Amino acid sequence: ATLDEALLFRTIPYFERPVVNRRATFPSYSWTGWSGIPRWTDIPDFSTNLTYPEELVANNKWLDSRTWIIWHSRGIDGALTLLGDHESLRDEPNTILGYRRRSGPPFLIPKSQTHLSTEPKIQLSPDNCPQYPLLQFWSMIASYTVRTASPTTANIFDRDQDLCGHLFLDCGLPPSTIDGKFEVIIISESQDWAAPAIKRGLFKPTRDGSPKSWGLFWVMLIVWDGQIAERKGIGQVYQHSLDSSLDPGPMWREVVLG
């Protein structure tokens, strides 16, 4: 299983259809949930410039040391299933892609919580489940101000209005209920910016123009529909920006993602 990697797609419009639309009969976390072309290129963490088997070794190292989410799937019947045995490949060679020795999340426990749970707790009846599988998991969620930079991109600002991240939007920036405030799920660690504008020096976050080694997080922009979150974009923020995120600050929370 390589779900952490699969989630990092961004959607590119077809030439004949310049607007990407949501396909409501498929999940937003999957490329099938969008009308555009899925793209995984320009991701700096998978060493795609390497050849086999070096690429697989580098990908496995990222999965083992830079990801932490324990994924569950909730089926259309409401049943919950652990996605993959995270120990099953422990003794297999690194030329087989998958999880082996998962690292713990690189977060301090928020003051309002006593530990970082990973077991599913939210219960959903089949009547409240869409006609496709949901992802259910725990990770850190933080709030930031998000402002459109172009029809397909947005910039992320912390509470001091410092520019601290960048997003690839799936179908434009959704309406905000509070003055541009949005929530993002912290997905995994990253070592360099994926946005071409940053690489060309056209965009430079306010603090620390070049991140320290693995100084970024991959984040997913979400909006809520009741108990279920929907993906609206994928991007990156500085890890240190969690300390200056908007109120109520970073929270370890359970997410049901549709």
Side-chain angles (χ1 to χ4, degrees):
T2 59
L3 185 56
D4 292 87
E5 182 175 343
L7 291 174
L8 301 183
F9 70 92
R10 56 188 176 108
T11 49
I12 308 297
Y14 288 100
F15 290 111
E16 65 273 17
R17 279 181 267 166
V19 177
V20 174
N21 295 308
R22 176 81 171 89
R23 290 177 176 147
T25 53
F26 296 93
S28 69
Y29 61 78
S30 168
W31 64 268
T32 59
W34 304 94
S35 64
I37 303 170
R39 180 176 177 178
W40 284 269
T41 56
D42 302 326
I43 296 177
D45 305 314
F46 308 144
S47 302
T48 52
N49 59 320
L50 298 178
T51 58
Y52 177 86
E54 288 80 8
E55 181 181 344
L56 286 177
V57 173
N59 286 15
N60 280 325
K61 185 176 180 181
W62 178 80
L63 287 171
D64 290 347
S65 60
R66 304 297 174 181
T67 72
W68 56 85
I69 294 176
I70 306 299
W71 303 99
H72 294 79
S73 173
R74 188 173 289 279
I76 60 176
D77 59 354
L80 199 63
T81 305
L82 175 66
L83 290 180
D85 180 353
H86 296 287
E87 300 293 325
S88 62
L89 296 179
R90 178 179 291 273
D91 298 320
E92 297 295 329
N94 260 337
T95 51
I96 298 176
L97 187 62
Y99 301 108
R100 286 170 176 78
R101 299 168 179 83
R102 303 301 300 283
S103 298
F107 308 118
L108 295 175
I109 298 176
K111 294 180 181 179
S112 59
Q113 295 164 285
T114 57
H115 67 288
L116 300 182
S117 302
T118 59
E119 290 298 318
K121 295 181 179 179
I122 295 175
Q123 299 296 322
L124 291 175
S125 69
D127 294 339
N128 294 327
C129 293
Q131 294 302 301
Y132 52 73
L134 300 166
L135 292 179
Q136 192 161 338
F137 59 95
W138 289 77
S139 193
M140 200 70 81
I141 290 183
S143 297
Y144 294 93
T145 299
V146 179
R147 298 182 187 134
T148 300
S150 76
T152 58
T153 63
N155 292 329
I156 302 174
F157 299 84
D158 65 11
R159 65 167 177 255
D160 300 319
Q161 293 304 299
D162 282 332
L163 185 58
C164 61
H166 185 78
L167 285 164
F168 298 106
L169 302 174
D170 291 317
C171 59
L173 192 63
S176 169
T177 55
I178 307 175
D179 192 28
K181 179 180 178 180
F182 289 91
E183 288 186 325
V184 299
I185 306 170
I186 311 300
I187 297 293
S188 55
E189 290 189 274
S190 181
Q191 63 179 334
D192 198 4
W193 296 103
I198 300 178
K199 291 181 178 297
R200 295 196 305 267
L202 303 180
F203 164 97
K204 183 169 287 188
T206 307
R207 300 180 186 172
D208 299 344
S210 58
K212 66 180 178 64
S213 178
W214 299 98
L216 305 173
F217 285 128
W218 283 106
V219 297
M220 181 183 292
L221 178 69
I222 57 169
V223 296
W224 294 91
D225 182 8
Q227 288 183 291
I228 299 175
E230 281 233 340
R231 167 184 155 144
K232 296 298 180 181
I234 200 78
Q236 295 163 294
V237 296
Y238 281 123
Q239 289 193 17
H240 65 63
S241 73
L242 281 185
D243 297 332
S244 54
S245 59
L246 304 182
D247 289 339
M251 298 288 292
W252 185 256
R253 283 173 56 186
E254 187 175 12
V255 178
V256 179
L257 185 63

